Amino acid sequence: MAKGDSTPKNNEIVARTVRLVDVNGEQLGVVATTEALKIAREKNLDLVLVSPAANPPVARIMDYGKYKYEKDKRKKEAKKKTKQTQLKEMKFRIRIDEHDFQTKTNRIQEFLEKGNKVRVVIMFRGREIVFSDKGKEILNRVSTQLQQISDVDRPPKLEGRDMWMILKPKAAPQGGKENEQQSKDEDA
């Protein structure tokens, strides 16, 4: 067997008899493994065990290289379609100016619109830890300002000298962009 490949084929099949399936999907019946292997070799194809748990095991005559290539290709396509979300982080201090607050919340909004989760952190220095309620106010203000596009994934939590929460983007309604386009067309 090839490295990372657990599908028994050709001489790797240990069962004495197999239920043989032809290239076209026709069942040829229960045949001795040696006979099935001989039939596969006459057609210049491989004998692949597709259902080892069945009684008798099911083997199929196929071009294994082509089968494996197509299987890997489908796996790569599926991997491309999955979206990788990242956890971004934005740090605040309790004595933050209004303009800085707006700039940071706008940046958080950009992260959320791209589909990323955002960890919002309030950092306390020295005796500022006494004003943890002020930190919670800032976190609540951020979440209310972004409530149209985000949900709170993890509520505010004090951990050491940091207080943090995690915001996640709101799930898009079923249909996504198609529904948005239809509603724009109807309005026009």
Side-chain angles (χ1 to χ4, degrees):
M1 274 186 257
K3 189 175 182 180
D5 184 17
S6 62
T7 308
K9 58 196 158 302
N10 298 329
N11 293 330
E12 298 167 356
I13 299 172
V14 293
R16 292 183 184 190
T17 59
V18 292
R19 183 172 307 275
L20 187 59
V21 179
D22 198 359
V23 181
N24 305 325
E26 273 182 42
Q27 287 200 17
L28 302 178
V30 178
V31 182
T33 305
T34 54
E35 183 66 26
L37 195 54
K38 184 177 164 187
I39 294 169
R41 286 196 175 133
E42 285 173 2
K43 296 181 180 184
N44 287 329
L45 295 171
D46 298 306
L47 182 68
V48 181
L49 198 61
V50 290
S51 181
N55 190 15
V58 179
R60 184 176 187 137
I61 297 173
M62 67 172 77
D63 182 355
Y64 185 72
K66 183 177 178 183
Y67 165 76
K68 185 151 176 51
Y69 170 77
E70 288 174 357
K71 184 179 173 185
D72 290 345
K73 193 174 176 181
R74 283 191 301 270
K75 195 183 282 185
K76 284 180 184 176
E77 284 297 318
K79 193 174 182 181
K80 277 184 190 176
K81 292 179 183 176
T82 59
K83 179 158 181 8
Q84 297 290 328
T85 58
Q86 291 183 324
L87 180 64
K88 301 287 188 173
E89 186 172 90
M90 187 60 64
K91 294 184 177 185
F92 288 80
R93 300 291 312 273
I94 62 168
R95 294 185 302 173
I96 187 166
D97 190 47
E98 182 59 30
H99 180 265
D100 294 338
F101 178 83
Q102 292 303 324
T103 304
K104 288 185 180 226
T105 51
N106 288 340
R107 191 75 176 119
I108 292 171
Q109 184 174 348
E110 289 174 21
F111 291 147
L112 291 167
E113 287 170 350
K114 288 181 182 176
N116 296 313
K117 287 185 175 183
V118 181
R119 182 175 187 228
V120 184
V121 180
I122 306 293
M123 299 181 308
F124 297 104
R125 265 199 217 152
R127 294 182 184 166
E128 289 178 349
I129 196 75
V130 176
F131 303 105
S132 60
D133 56 329
K134 177 82 171 137
K136 197 166 192 165
E137 281 177 29
I138 294 171
L139 290 177
N140 289 333
R141 187 172 163 206
V142 169
S143 65
T144 54
Q145 188 162 341
L146 297 170
Q147 69 184 358
Q148 296 295 320
I149 61 165
S150 70
D151 292 324
V152 176
D153 193 29
R154 300 239 174 102
K157 178 181 180 183
L158 184 64
E159 200 171 77
R161 292 203 159 270
D162 293 340
M163 181 180 282
W164 58 272
M165 73 174 175
I166 296 180
L167 297 174
K168 65 178 180 181
K170 279 197 175 176
Q174 293 296 48
K177 293 183 178 181
E178 293 173 3
N179 287 344
E180 288 177 20
Q181 187 64 36
Q182 287 175 352
S183 64
K184 287 180 184 176
D185 291 341
E186 291 170 2
D187 292 339

PDB file of all heavy atoms in Angstrom, residues 5-9 45-51 60-75:
ATOM      1  N   ASP A   5      -2.351   5.618   2.262  1.00  0.00           N
ATOM      2  CA  ASP A   5      -3.435   5.030   1.494  1.00  0.00           C
ATOM      3  C   ASP A   5      -3.809   3.706   2.144  1.00  0.00           C
ATOM      4  O   ASP A   5      -2.992   2.804   2.246  1.00  0.00           O
ATOM      5  CB  ASP A   5      -2.974   4.816   0.045  1.00  0.00           C
ATOM      6  CG  ASP A   5      -4.073   4.295  -0.840  1.00  0.00           C
ATOM      7  OD1 ASP A   5      -5.246   4.402  -0.442  1.00  0.00           O
ATOM      8  OD2 ASP A   5      -3.762   3.782  -1.931  1.00  0.00           O
ATOM      9  N   SER A   6      -5.046   3.576   2.588  1.00  0.00           N
ATOM     10  CA  SER A   6      -5.459   2.366   3.294  1.00  0.00           C
ATOM     11  C   SER A   6      -6.390   1.493   2.468  1.00  0.00           C
ATOM     12  O   SER A   6      -6.934   0.530   2.979  1.00  0.00           O
ATOM     13  CB  SER A   6      -6.145   2.754   4.609  1.00  0.00           C
ATOM     14  OG  SER A   6      -7.298   3.507   4.312  1.00  0.00           O
ATOM     15  N   THR A   7      -6.576   1.801   1.170  1.00  0.00           N
ATOM     16  CA  THR A   7      -7.466   1.017   0.328  1.00  0.00           C
ATOM     17  C   THR A   7      -6.715  -0.178  -0.239  1.00  0.00           C
ATOM     18  O   THR A   7      -5.794  -0.012  -1.033  1.00  0.00           O
ATOM     19  CB  THR A   7      -8.001   1.884  -0.838  1.00  0.00           C
ATOM     20  OG1 THR A   7      -8.543   3.083  -0.301  1.00  0.00           O
ATOM     21  CG2 THR A   7      -9.057   1.155  -1.619  1.00  0.00           C
ATOM     22  N   PRO A   8      -7.114  -1.416   0.146  1.00  0.00           N
ATOM     23  CA  PRO A   8      -6.445  -2.594  -0.417  1.00  0.00           C
ATOM     24  C   PRO A   8      -6.766  -2.738  -1.904  1.00  0.00           C
ATOM     25  O   PRO A   8      -7.898  -2.558  -2.325  1.00  0.00           O
ATOM     26  CB  PRO A   8      -7.029  -3.758   0.376  1.00  0.00           C
ATOM     27  CG  PRO A   8      -7.711  -3.155   1.546  1.00  0.00           C
ATOM     28  CD  PRO A   8      -8.077  -1.777   1.158  1.00  0.00           C
ATOM     29  N   LYS A   9      -5.747  -3.068  -2.674  1.00  0.00           N
ATOM     30  CA  LYS A   9      -5.947  -3.267  -4.112  1.00  0.00           C
ATOM     31  C   LYS A   9      -5.038  -4.383  -4.609  1.00  0.00           C
ATOM     32  O   LYS A   9      -4.016  -4.694  -4.004  1.00  0.00           O
ATOM     33  CB  LYS A   9      -5.717  -1.979  -4.876  1.00  0.00           C
ATOM     34  CG  LYS A   9      -4.353  -1.378  -4.697  1.00  0.00           C
ATOM     35  CD  LYS A   9      -4.356   0.063  -5.154  1.00  0.00           C
ATOM     36  CE  LYS A   9      -3.245   0.850  -4.546  1.00  0.00           C
ATOM     37  NZ  LYS A   9      -3.196   0.894  -3.127  1.00  0.00           N
ATOM     38  N   LEU A  45      -6.542  -3.080 -15.757  1.00  0.00           N
ATOM     39  CA  LEU A  45      -7.090  -2.249 -14.694  1.00  0.00           C
ATOM     40  C   LEU A  45      -6.729  -2.854 -13.342  1.00  0.00           C
ATOM     41  O   LEU A  45      -6.066  -3.894 -13.264  1.00  0.00           O
ATOM     42  CB  LEU A  45      -8.609  -2.140 -14.844  1.00  0.00           C
ATOM     43  CG  LEU A  45      -9.087  -1.417 -16.112  1.00  0.00           C
ATOM     44  CD1 LEU A  45     -10.589  -1.560 -16.254  1.00  0.00           C
ATOM     45  CD2 LEU A  45      -8.708   0.050 -16.078  1.00  0.00           C
ATOM     46  N   ASP A  46      -7.156  -2.194 -12.264  1.00  0.00           N
ATOM     47  CA  ASP A  46      -6.860  -2.644 -10.904  1.00  0.00           C
ATOM     48  C   ASP A  46      -8.098  -3.238 -10.260  1.00  0.00           C
ATOM     49  O   ASP A  46      -9.233  -2.862 -10.578  1.00  0.00           O
ATOM     50  CB  ASP A  46      -6.386  -1.458 -10.055  1.00  0.00           C
ATOM     51  CG  ASP A  46      -5.112  -0.840 -10.594  1.00  0.00           C
ATOM     52  OD1 ASP A  46      -4.135  -1.582 -10.774  1.00  0.00           O
ATOM     53  OD2 ASP A  46      -5.116   0.388 -10.831  1.00  0.00           O
ATOM     54  N   LEU A  47      -7.875  -4.142  -9.332  1.00  0.00           N
ATOM     55  CA  LEU A  47      -8.945  -4.694  -8.500  1.00  0.00           C
ATOM     56  C   LEU A  47      -8.865  -3.979  -7.163  1.00  0.00           C
ATOM     57  O   LEU A  47      -7.864  -4.091  -6.453  1.00  0.00           O
ATOM     58  CB  LEU A  47      -8.767  -6.204  -8.325  1.00  0.00           C
ATOM     59  CG  LEU A  47      -9.846  -6.911  -7.529  1.00  0.00           C
ATOM     60  CD1 LEU A  47     -11.163  -6.886  -8.306  1.00  0.00           C
ATOM     61  CD2 LEU A  47      -9.458  -8.342  -7.236  1.00  0.00           C
ATOM     62  N   VAL A  48      -9.907  -3.220  -6.815  1.00  0.00           N
ATOM     63  CA  VAL A  48      -9.886  -2.398  -5.600  1.00  0.00           C
ATOM     64  C   VAL A  48     -10.993  -2.852  -4.664  1.00  0.00           C
ATOM     65  O   VAL A  48     -12.146  -3.013  -5.078  1.00  0.00           O
ATOM     66  CB  VAL A  48     -10.069  -0.900  -5.947  1.00  0.00           C
ATOM     67  CG1 VAL A  48     -10.034  -0.047  -4.695  1.00  0.00           C
ATOM     68  CG2 VAL A  48      -9.012  -0.448  -6.929  1.00  0.00           C
ATOM     69  N   LEU A  49     -10.651  -3.068  -3.408  1.00  0.00           N
ATOM     70  CA  LEU A  49     -11.623  -3.471  -2.394  1.00  0.00           C
ATOM     71  C   LEU A  49     -12.380  -2.229  -1.943  1.00  0.00           C
ATOM     72  O   LEU A  49     -11.825  -1.361  -1.285  1.00  0.00           O
ATOM     73  CB  LEU A  49     -10.890  -4.122  -1.215  1.00  0.00           C
ATOM     74  CG  LEU A  49     -11.707  -4.970  -0.268  1.00  0.00           C
ATOM     75  CD1 LEU A  49     -12.336  -6.142  -1.012  1.00  0.00           C
ATOM     76  CD2 LEU A  49     -10.844  -5.491   0.849  1.00  0.00           C
ATOM     77  N   VAL A  50     -13.675  -2.121  -2.306  1.00  0.00           N
ATOM     78  CA  VAL A  50     -14.437  -0.911  -1.986  1.00  0.00           C
ATOM     79  C   VAL A  50     -15.264  -1.057  -0.717  1.00  0.00           C
ATOM     80  O   VAL A  50     -15.591  -0.077  -0.060  1.00  0.00           O
ATOM     81  CB  VAL A  50     -15.357  -0.487  -3.158  1.00  0.00           C
ATOM     82  CG1 VAL A  50     -14.524   0.027  -4.316  1.00  0.00           C
ATOM     83  CG2 VAL A  50     -16.260  -1.601  -3.600  1.00  0.00           C
ATOM     84  N   SER A  51     -15.620  -2.286  -0.359  1.00  0.00           N
ATOM     85  CA  SER A  51     -16.407  -2.503   0.858  1.00  0.00           C
ATOM     86  C   SER A  51     -15.891  -3.745   1.580  1.00  0.00           C
ATOM     87  O   SER A  51     -16.427  -4.845   1.411  1.00  0.00           O
ATOM     88  CB  SER A  51     -17.886  -2.657   0.503  1.00  0.00           C
ATOM     89  OG  SER A  51     -18.649  -2.836   1.659  1.00  0.00           O
ATOM     90  N   ARG A  60     -14.049  -3.907  -6.849  1.00  0.00           N
ATOM     91  CA  ARG A  60     -14.443  -3.291  -8.114  1.00  0.00           C
ATOM     92  C   ARG A  60     -13.242  -3.216  -9.047  1.00  0.00           C
ATOM     93  O   ARG A  60     -12.129  -2.930  -8.614  1.00  0.00           O
ATOM     94  CB  ARG A  60     -14.989  -1.899  -7.850  1.00  0.00           C
ATOM     95  CG  ARG A  60     -15.510  -1.227  -9.065  1.00  0.00           C
ATOM     96  CD  ARG A  60     -16.113   0.108  -8.730  1.00  0.00           C
ATOM     97  NE  ARG A  60     -16.755   0.615  -9.931  1.00  0.00           N
ATOM     98  CZ  ARG A  60     -17.924   1.188  -9.971  1.00  0.00           C
ATOM     99  NH1 ARG A  60     -18.589   1.370  -8.858  1.00  0.00           N
ATOM    100  NH2 ARG A  60     -18.430   1.605 -11.086  1.00  0.00           N
ATOM    101  N   ILE A  61     -13.502  -3.437 -10.314  1.00  0.00           N
ATOM    102  CA  ILE A  61     -12.456  -3.314 -11.327  1.00  0.00           C
ATOM    103  C   ILE A  61     -12.472  -1.862 -11.796  1.00  0.00           C
ATOM    104  O   ILE A  61     -13.507  -1.354 -12.228  1.00  0.00           O
ATOM    105  CB  ILE A  61     -12.714  -4.266 -12.510  1.00  0.00           C
ATOM    106  CG1 ILE A  61     -12.675  -5.713 -12.037  1.00  0.00           C
ATOM    107  CG2 ILE A  61     -11.685  -4.034 -13.617  1.00  0.00           C
ATOM    108  CD1 ILE A  61     -13.068  -6.729 -13.085  1.00  0.00           C
ATOM    109  N   MET A  62     -11.321  -1.179 -11.666  1.00  0.00           N
ATOM    110  CA  MET A  62     -11.240   0.240 -12.048  1.00  0.00           C
ATOM    111  C   MET A  62      -9.797   0.646 -12.273  1.00  0.00           C
ATOM    112  O   MET A  62      -8.871  -0.078 -11.918  1.00  0.00           O
ATOM    113  CB  MET A  62     -11.857   1.122 -10.963  1.00  0.00           C
ATOM    114  CG  MET A  62     -11.075   1.130  -9.659  1.00  0.00           C
ATOM    115  SD  MET A  62     -11.638   2.320  -8.449  1.00  0.00           S
ATOM    116  CE  MET A  62     -13.081   1.556  -7.805  1.00  0.00           C
ATOM    117  N   ASP A  63      -9.611   1.832 -12.851  1.00  0.00           N
ATOM    118  CA  ASP A  63      -8.286   2.428 -12.992  1.00  0.00           C
ATOM    119  C   ASP A  63      -8.027   3.177 -11.689  1.00  0.00           C
ATOM    120  O   ASP A  63      -8.540   4.280 -11.482  1.00  0.00           O
ATOM    121  CB  ASP A  63      -8.258   3.365 -14.196  1.00  0.00           C
ATOM    122  CG  ASP A  63      -6.877   3.974 -14.422  1.00  0.00           C
ATOM    123  OD1 ASP A  63      -5.968   3.739 -13.595  1.00  0.00           O
ATOM    124  OD2 ASP A  63      -6.720   4.687 -15.428  1.00  0.00           O
ATOM    125  N   TYR A  64      -7.240   2.583 -10.797  1.00  0.00           N
ATOM    126  CA  TYR A  64      -7.063   3.133  -9.461  1.00  0.00           C
ATOM    127  C   TYR A  64      -6.370   4.497  -9.484  1.00  0.00           C
ATOM    128  O   TYR A  64      -6.712   5.390  -8.723  1.00  0.00           O
ATOM    129  CB  TYR A  64      -6.275   2.163  -8.569  1.00  0.00           C
ATOM    130  CG  TYR A  64      -6.171   2.653  -7.155  1.00  0.00           C
ATOM    131  CD1 TYR A  64      -7.274   2.638  -6.325  1.00  0.00           C
ATOM    132  CD2 TYR A  64      -4.985   3.180  -6.652  1.00  0.00           C
ATOM    133  CE1 TYR A  64      -7.213   3.117  -5.033  1.00  0.00           C
ATOM    134  CE2 TYR A  64      -4.913   3.658  -5.363  1.00  0.00           C
ATOM    135  CZ  TYR A  64      -6.030   3.623  -4.561  1.00  0.00           C
ATOM    136  OH  TYR A  64      -5.963   4.102  -3.286  1.00  0.00           O
ATOM    137  N   GLY A  65      -5.405   4.680 -10.370  1.00  0.00           N
ATOM    138  CA  GLY A  65      -4.701   5.969 -10.467  1.00  0.00           C
ATOM    139  C   GLY A  65      -5.663   7.097 -10.802  1.00  0.00           C
ATOM    140  O   GLY A  65      -5.632   8.165 -10.199  1.00  0.00           O
ATOM    141  N   LYS A  66      -6.564   6.838 -11.761  1.00  0.00           N
ATOM    142  CA  LYS A  66      -7.549   7.847 -12.159  1.00  0.00           C
ATOM    143  C   LYS A  66      -8.531   8.107 -11.018  1.00  0.00           C
ATOM    144  O   LYS A  66      -8.882   9.244 -10.725  1.00  0.00           O
ATOM    145  CB  LYS A  66      -8.297   7.352 -13.397  1.00  0.00           C
ATOM    146  CG  LYS A  66      -9.284   8.320 -13.963  1.00  0.00           C
ATOM    147  CD  LYS A  66      -9.921   7.758 -15.226  1.00  0.00           C
ATOM    148  CE  LYS A  66     -10.959   8.692 -15.775  1.00  0.00           C
ATOM    149  NZ  LYS A  66     -11.626   8.137 -16.955  1.00  0.00           N
ATOM    150  N   TYR A  67      -8.952   7.036 -10.347  1.00  0.00           N
ATOM    151  CA  TYR A  67      -9.886   7.144  -9.216  1.00  0.00           C
ATOM    152  C   TYR A  67      -9.272   7.991  -8.099  1.00  0.00           C
ATOM    153  O   TYR A  67      -9.903   8.900  -7.575  1.00  0.00           O
ATOM    154  CB  TYR A  67     -10.227   5.742  -8.712  1.00  0.00           C
ATOM    155  CG  TYR A  67     -10.879   5.691  -7.367  1.00  0.00           C
ATOM    156  CD1 TYR A  67     -12.222   6.025  -7.204  1.00  0.00           C
ATOM    157  CD2 TYR A  67     -10.167   5.300  -6.228  1.00  0.00           C
ATOM    158  CE1 TYR A  67     -12.829   5.970  -5.968  1.00  0.00           C
ATOM    159  CE2 TYR A  67     -10.763   5.246  -4.992  1.00  0.00           C
ATOM    160  CZ  TYR A  67     -12.093   5.585  -4.867  1.00  0.00           C
ATOM    161  OH  TYR A  67     -12.685   5.537  -3.641  1.00  0.00           O
ATOM    162  N   LYS A  68      -8.008   7.707  -7.763  1.00  0.00           N
ATOM    163  CA  LYS A  68      -7.334   8.440  -6.692  1.00  0.00           C
ATOM    164  C   LYS A  68      -7.136   9.905  -7.082  1.00  0.00           C
ATOM    165  O   LYS A  68      -7.335  10.802  -6.271  1.00  0.00           O
ATOM    166  CB  LYS A  68      -5.986   7.796  -6.385  1.00  0.00           C
ATOM    167  CG  LYS A  68      -5.271   8.429  -5.212  1.00  0.00           C
ATOM    168  CD  LYS A  68      -4.397   7.424  -4.529  1.00  0.00           C
ATOM    169  CE  LYS A  68      -3.590   8.004  -3.406  1.00  0.00           C
ATOM    170  NZ  LYS A  68      -4.322   8.760  -2.439  1.00  0.00           N
ATOM    171  N   TYR A  69      -6.792  10.179  -8.337  1.00  0.00           N
ATOM    172  CA  TYR A  69      -6.611  11.541  -8.823  1.00  0.00           C
ATOM    173  C   TYR A  69      -7.910  12.328  -8.686  1.00  0.00           C
ATOM    174  O   TYR A  69      -7.917  13.457  -8.184  1.00  0.00           O
ATOM    175  CB  TYR A  69      -6.140  11.515 -10.280  1.00  0.00           C
ATOM    176  CG  TYR A  69      -6.144  12.863 -10.942  1.00  0.00           C
ATOM    177  CD1 TYR A  69      -5.140  13.798 -10.673  1.00  0.00           C
ATOM    178  CD2 TYR A  69      -7.149  13.226 -11.825  1.00  0.00           C
ATOM    179  CE1 TYR A  69      -5.149  15.047 -11.281  1.00  0.00           C
ATOM    180  CE2 TYR A  69      -7.161  14.469 -12.433  1.00  0.00           C
ATOM    181  CZ  TYR A  69      -6.163  15.373 -12.158  1.00  0.00           C
ATOM    182  OH  TYR A  69      -6.176  16.614 -12.750  1.00  0.00           O
ATOM    183  N   GLU A  70      -9.017  11.745  -9.138  1.00  0.00           N
ATOM    184  CA  GLU A  70     -10.306  12.432  -9.068  1.00  0.00           C
ATOM    185  C   GLU A  70     -10.747  12.641  -7.621  1.00  0.00           C
ATOM    186  O   GLU A  70     -11.320  13.682  -7.284  1.00  0.00           O
ATOM    187  CB  GLU A  70     -11.363  11.654  -9.852  1.00  0.00           C
ATOM    188  CG  GLU A  70     -11.146  11.751 -11.346  1.00  0.00           C
ATOM    189  CD  GLU A  70     -12.088  10.880 -12.150  1.00  0.00           C
ATOM    190  OE1 GLU A  70     -12.899  10.131 -11.551  1.00  0.00           O
ATOM    191  OE2 GLU A  70     -12.011  10.947 -13.388  1.00  0.00           O
ATOM    192  N   LYS A  71     -10.461  11.664  -6.768  1.00  0.00           N
ATOM    193  CA  LYS A  71     -10.804  11.782  -5.347  1.00  0.00           C
ATOM    194  C   LYS A  71     -10.028  12.930  -4.702  1.00  0.00           C
ATOM    195  O   LYS A  71     -10.591  13.743  -3.968  1.00  0.00           O
ATOM    196  CB  LYS A  71     -10.486  10.456  -4.644  1.00  0.00           C
ATOM    197  CG  LYS A  71     -10.875  10.385  -3.206  1.00  0.00           C
ATOM    198  CD  LYS A  71     -10.529   9.006  -2.653  1.00  0.00           C
ATOM    199  CE  LYS A  71     -10.728   8.923  -1.169  1.00  0.00           C
ATOM    200  NZ  LYS A  71     -10.294   7.636  -0.632  1.00  0.00           N
ATOM    201  N   ASP A  72      -8.730  13.013  -4.980  1.00  0.00           N
ATOM    202  CA  ASP A  72      -7.902  14.098  -4.451  1.00  0.00           C
ATOM    203  C   ASP A  72      -8.344  15.452  -4.994  1.00  0.00           C
ATOM    204  O   ASP A  72      -8.350  16.451  -4.273  1.00  0.00           O
ATOM    205  CB  ASP A  72      -6.425  13.865  -4.786  1.00  0.00           C
ATOM    206  CG  ASP A  72      -5.815  12.709  -4.015  1.00  0.00           C
ATOM    207  OD1 ASP A  72      -6.435  12.272  -3.017  1.00  0.00           O
ATOM    208  OD2 ASP A  72      -4.732  12.221  -4.416  1.00  0.00           O
ATOM    209  N   LYS A  73      -8.724  15.477  -6.261  1.00  0.00           N
ATOM    210  CA  LYS A  73      -9.191  16.716  -6.883  1.00  0.00           C
ATOM    211  C   LYS A  73     -10.470  17.211  -6.206  1.00  0.00           C
ATOM    212  O   LYS A  73     -10.606  18.405  -5.917  1.00  0.00           O
ATOM    213  CB  LYS A  73      -9.434  16.470  -8.373  1.00  0.00           C
ATOM    214  CG  LYS A  73      -9.621  17.703  -9.191  1.00  0.00           C
ATOM    215  CD  LYS A  73      -9.699  17.349 -10.664  1.00  0.00           C
ATOM    216  CE  LYS A  73      -9.976  18.562 -11.503  1.00  0.00           C
ATOM    217  NZ  LYS A  73     -10.072  18.224 -12.922  1.00  0.00           N
ATOM    218  N   ARG A  74     -11.412  16.294  -5.923  1.00  0.00           N
ATOM    219  CA  ARG A  74     -12.652  16.675  -5.232  1.00  0.00           C
ATOM    220  C   ARG A  74     -12.349  17.184  -3.832  1.00  0.00           C
ATOM    221  O   ARG A  74     -12.953  18.151  -3.362  1.00  0.00           O
ATOM    222  CB  ARG A  74     -13.614  15.479  -5.156  1.00  0.00           C
ATOM    223  CG  ARG A  74     -14.327  15.177  -6.441  1.00  0.00           C
ATOM    224  CD  ARG A  74     -15.446  14.183  -6.230  1.00  0.00           C
ATOM    225  NE  ARG A  74     -15.011  12.914  -5.681  1.00  0.00           N
ATOM    226  CZ  ARG A  74     -14.634  11.854  -6.392  1.00  0.00           C
ATOM    227  NH1 ARG A  74     -14.655  11.916  -7.706  1.00  0.00           N
ATOM    228  NH2 ARG A  74     -14.259  10.747  -5.807  1.00  0.00           N
ATOM    229  N   LYS A  75     -11.395  16.553  -3.163  1.00  0.00           N
ATOM    230  CA  LYS A  75     -11.018  16.974  -1.813  1.00  0.00           C
ATOM    231  C   LYS A  75     -10.423  18.382  -1.824  1.00  0.00           C
ATOM    232  O   LYS A  75     -10.729  19.203  -0.963  1.00  0.00           O
ATOM    233  CB  LYS A  75     -10.002  15.982  -1.221  1.00  0.00           C
ATOM    234  CG  LYS A  75      -9.813  16.110   0.269  1.00  0.00           C
ATOM    235  CD  LYS A  75      -8.758  15.167   0.790  1.00  0.00           C
ATOM    236  CE  LYS A  75      -9.291  13.766   0.918  1.00  0.00           C
ATOM    237  NZ  LYS A  75      -8.307  12.850   1.547  1.00  0.00           N
TER     238      LYS A  75
END
